Amino acid sequence: AALVVVVALRGPSSGGYDTLPIEQYVKTPRSLGGNTFTLDGRIDTQLAYKSEIGRVIAVRTQDGKAVLPIIVLKEKAASFNPRVGQPYRLTLEVGESGELLLVESQKL
């Protein structure tokens, strides 16, 4: 029974989440707080880096219409070293203030 509880708390893999509703996110990001979504996009650039916190990267959506800032916390930053232009499927959690936090990444 304990194993079932652990699996239920982990949630589905990145393929089990809805796609981030970009238009809604851009208009009212805080309304999506606490939810987890996927986003397919390309790494655009690194916006900021602090070794004690992590980094902020810009990701261009697959259709190229939006560039979104993604926070990669220190715990994830060590294993996530994308190159500009690389396509990724990102699993993102929307924080209370509307910030996008990286949960998982998969190179496409």
Side-chain angles (χ1 to χ4, degrees), residues 49-64:
Y49 175 78
K50 286 200 173 234
S51 60
E52 61 276 4
I53 298 169
R55 65 182 115 171
V56 179
I57 58 171
V59 175
R60 185 169 301 278
T61 57
Q62 205 168 32
D63 63 9

Side-chain angles (χ1 to χ4, degrees), residues 9 24 32 54 67 73 76 106:
L9 291 175
Q24 180 183 354
L32 298 172
V67 177
L73 295 176
K76 303 282 182 189
Q106 176 185 359

Side-chain angles (χ1 to χ4, degrees), residues 7 9 15 17 31 33 49 51 56 79 98-100 102 108:
V7 171
L9 291 175
Y17 295 108
S31 70
Y49 175 78
S51 60
V56 179
S79 62
E99 68 278 14
L100 293 170
L102 180 70
L108 297 176

Side-chain angles (χ1 to χ4, degrees), residues 5-62:
V5 172
V6 171
V7 171
L9 291 175
R10 250 189 103 229
S13 66
S14 61
Y17 295 108
D18 290 335
T19 301
L20 178 69
I22 295 166
E23 285 185 31
Q24 180 183 354
Y25 176 77
V26 170
K27 289 178 185 171
T28 57
R30 289 176 32 181
S31 70
L32 298 172
N35 291 296
T36 303
F37 299 97
T38 60
L39 173 69
D40 289 352
R42 290 189 179 275
I43 307 303
D44 199 58
T45 189
Q46 179 170 287
L47 300 172
Y49 175 78
K50 286 200 173 234
S51 60
E52 61 276 4
I53 298 169
R55 65 182 115 171
V56 179
I57 58 171
V59 175
R60 185 169 301 278
T61 57
Q62 205 168 32

